[in-house]
Amino acid sequence: MNIDYGEKIPNNVNLADNRVLQRALEQWQPAFLEWWDEMGPDGTRNYDIYLRTAVGVDHKGWAHFDFVKMPEYRWGIFLNPAEPDRRINFGAHKGEPAWQEVPGEHRANLRRLIVTQGDTEPASVEQQRHLGRTAPSLYDLRNLFQVNVEEGRHLWAMVYLLHAYFGRDGREEAEALLERRSGDPDNPRILGAFNERTPDWLAFFMFTYFTDRDGKFQLCSLAESGFDPLARTTRFMLTEEAHHMFVGESGVGRIIARTAEIMARERIDDPAAIRGHGVIDLPTIQRYLNFHFSVTMDLFGADVSSNAATFYSTGLKGRFEETKAVDDHRLTDAAYPVLEVQGDRLVTVDAPALNALNERLRDDFIRDATAGVERWNRILQKQGVAFAFKVPHKAFNRRIGPLSAAKIDLGGHVITDAAWNANVERWLPSESDRAFVASLMGRVVEPGKFANWIAPPPRGINNLPIDHEYIRFN
Ligand SMILES: [Fe+2]
Ligand SMILES: [Fe+2]
């Protein structure tokens, strides 16, 4: 399962043995590089960046670190090893051998799942393309670029499946993945959160904490797929995704640590006074959290969804940790609680479990995301700062599904439009919050130096010192 770097497209799928596929991907490769040049990190063509590259797919030591120019990054196709005699673990086909080819009757749905996942990968690179101009340190800039090249590789992972298993319409979908643009009104990315702007580094860290975590849960569900090539490729993607969430959690944590340090040192808790010290006040961080959390809630889709039921029953997309669940893995007779707006109240009703799979995945996500927010709160506790971050109610600020029809506050109460309008600036980042955060953003790239509003990390990359020269600008 070693990766062949002698090939034009590094891979561990014996691409050289399939000339037709190899040629098709070698034709897509220049289009990808053109897209990277146009929409990838702005103005970075000649930077030498200390990046990790996959060298194998086993648990230990898959990563190799070295200085690379991003356009020369060895994007390729890496699948986890096949499990011998793998079976489909859920749905109507439970117990049958996993599919090595696309099952004809499920072809359209499978393609849709792969395209939807694939579309998020270049989208986030597009959303983040200007952040390099305002990096708070060389360390953070390097981490941004690492995330960017890996999202590029995730696009490769999905494009490989489209080319290898879907023939002509797969190739057309692979081209369209390079044509849509985040935020473009005429040809936007498929999912809402991936058309939002990522204008500053607090937004970037919140995005990688919450929205990349949605990626984790989607990938975990696809890693259970009865379509074996999809399961194997998403399993490897998950090893890369872990780093993106680390960037988010540690980034927000370092911003909180710096603010808490100033609050404790100066004995202040008035947001204006805190801002006066050039750090981000905690209520503003909370509003960013509310925004990114709620936008990410919508990524899981409608609370009750016949598509979700179909994807599961047909064995295409499982649950998070499917094989650990103690039930029949068919769910035909089971129920799951979902929320409904009834008059001026949110009420819990039972839906068929199959139709509520989006909601279940959303709940799994909330548990995981909330645990990290508690770790942020411990940073405040250590400094003796009396403030605690809280994730909003999952019905807050929704734009998809039946909950989007009502205005719902942070605690999950249905409120009037007037009450919403009176409070929205306390709950979501206002123009002036965003302008303040933007005013702090300036480029700090001297090795070992950090912008005033963020604490240094406890350690550097790959055991190197924090003040290592992680990027050479040439
Ligand atoms: Fe990704
Ligand atoms: Fe990611």
Side-chain angles (χ1 to χ4, degrees), residues 117 120-121 124 150-151 154 212 219 237 241 244:
Q117 179 61 44
T120 67
E121 315 292 357
S124 63
E150 289 179 351
E151 300 303 8
H154 288 179
D212 282 84
L219 293 175
M237 289 162 78
E241 204 62 53
H244 309 173

Side-chain angles (χ1 to χ4, degrees), residues 91-129:
H93 298 285
K94 184 171 180 290
E96 295 173 20
W99 298 300
Q100 299 305 324
E101 293 296 333
V102 175
E105 71 273 34
H106 307 317
R107 190 172 189 279
N109 279 333
L110 190 52
R111 192 183 63 206
R112 182 167 159 195
L113 280 172
I114 293 167
V115 167
T116 307
Q117 179 61 44
D119 193 67
T120 67
E121 315 292 357
S124 63
V125 175
E126 292 167 2
Q127 288 169 293
Q128 295 161 14
R129 71 180 303 253

Side-chain angles (χ1 to χ4, degrees), residues 5-286:
Y5 274 97
E7 295 286 326
K8 204 166 165 191
I9 300 171
N11 71 89
N12 68 350
V13 293
N14 296 325
L15 194 55
D17 294 348
N18 186 341
R19 290 286 170 195
V20 176
L21 175 60
Q22 187 180 35
R23 258 200 305 276
L25 284 165
E26 284 181 1
Q27 275 169 16
W28 186 81
Q29 191 175 34
F32 169 82
L33 289 170
E34 252 172 63
W35 167 81
W36 181 270
D37 205 39
E38 187 194 324
M39 294 311 295
D42 199 11
T44 59
R45 183 152 256 295
N46 286 315
Y47 295 4
D48 287 304
I49 306 159
Y50 188 71
L51 294 174
R52 67 172 188 180
T53 306
V55 286
V57 292
D58 53 342
H59 281 297
K60 281 171 286 179
W62 69 269
H64 168 76
F65 287 83
D66 206 352
F67 282 91
V68 185
K69 288 185 174 52
M70 281 192 284
E72 291 160 19
Y73 190 75
R74 302 305 314 275
W75 286 288
I77 299 155
F78 316 128
L79 271 62
N80 264 23
E83 263 174 46
D85 192 36
R86 181 165 176 262
R87 303 268 145 178
I88 299 167
N89 290 319
F90 57 92
H93 298 285
K94 184 171 180 290
E96 295 173 20
W99 298 300
Q100 299 305 324
E101 293 296 333
V102 175
E105 71 273 34
H106 307 317
R107 190 172 189 279
N109 279 333
L110 190 52
R111 192 183 63 206
R112 182 167 159 195
L113 280 172
I114 293 167
V115 167
T116 307
Q117 179 61 44
D119 193 67
T120 67
E121 315 292 357
S124 63
V125 175
E126 292 167 2
Q127 288 169 293
Q128 295 161 14
R129 71 180 303 253
H130 297 302
L131 289 171
R133 291 186 195 158
T134 55
S137 74
L138 212 49
Y139 166 91
D140 290 292
L141 187 59
R142 177 268 168 206
N143 281 347
L144 166 71
F145 293 154
Q146 183 70 57
V147 170
N148 292 158
V149 293
E150 289 179 351
E151 300 303 8
R153 207 208 64 75
H154 288 179
L155 173 60
W156 271 93
M158 294 297 111
V159 163
Y160 164 71
L161 295 177
L162 290 169
H163 272 242
Y165 296 97
F166 291 88
R168 178 149 152 215
D169 47 331
R171 291 193 292 278
E172 285 168 4
E173 292 285 11
E175 279 168 33
L177 285 169
L178 297 176
E179 285 160 8
R180 285 185 288 273
R181 291 285 181 273
S182 176
D184 182 338
D186 298 326
N187 195 14
R189 292 295 172 183
I190 296 170
L191 300 171
F194 291 90
N195 288 301
E196 298 283 348
R197 291 177 60 239
T198 310
D200 58 62
W201 279 74
L202 178 55
F204 169 64
F205 291 135
M206 288 289 182
F207 184 99
T208 41
Y209 184 76
F210 288 110
T211 307
D212 282 84
R213 189 174 309 271
D214 161 70
K216 166 185 163 180
F217 281 81
Q218 301 299 339
L219 293 175
C220 282
S221 308
L222 295 173
E224 304 283 352
S225 181
F227 179 53
D228 203 42
L230 177 59
R232 289 171 55 200
T233 198
T234 45
R235 278 176 197 184
F236 186 70
M237 289 162 78
L238 278 163
T239 61
E240 294 164 318
E241 204 62 53
H243 172 257
H244 309 173
M245 289 179 290
F246 159 79
V247 168
E249 180 169 343
S250 59
V252 175
R254 289 161 49 216
I255 295 174
I256 293 169
R258 178 64 180 145
T259 300
E261 181 192 340
I262 297 290
M263 289 173 74
R265 191 185 75 197
E266 304 292 324
R267 299 168 188 273
I268 49 175
D269 58 10
D270 171 43
I274 292 165
R275 286 185 179 194
H277 286 271
V279 297
I280 306 174
D281 55 291
L282 303 177
T284 297
I285 297 173
Q286 175 71 62

Side-chain angles (χ1 to χ4, degrees), residues 361-381:
L361 196 60
R362 191 165 14 242
D363 290 337
D364 289 331
F365 168 93
I366 291 170
R367 267 187 291 280
D368 199 50
T370 305
V373 173
E374 289 311 319
R375 288 190 287 276
W376 292 337
N377 284 335
R378 285 204 280 281
I379 298 171
L380 294 174
Q381 287 156 14

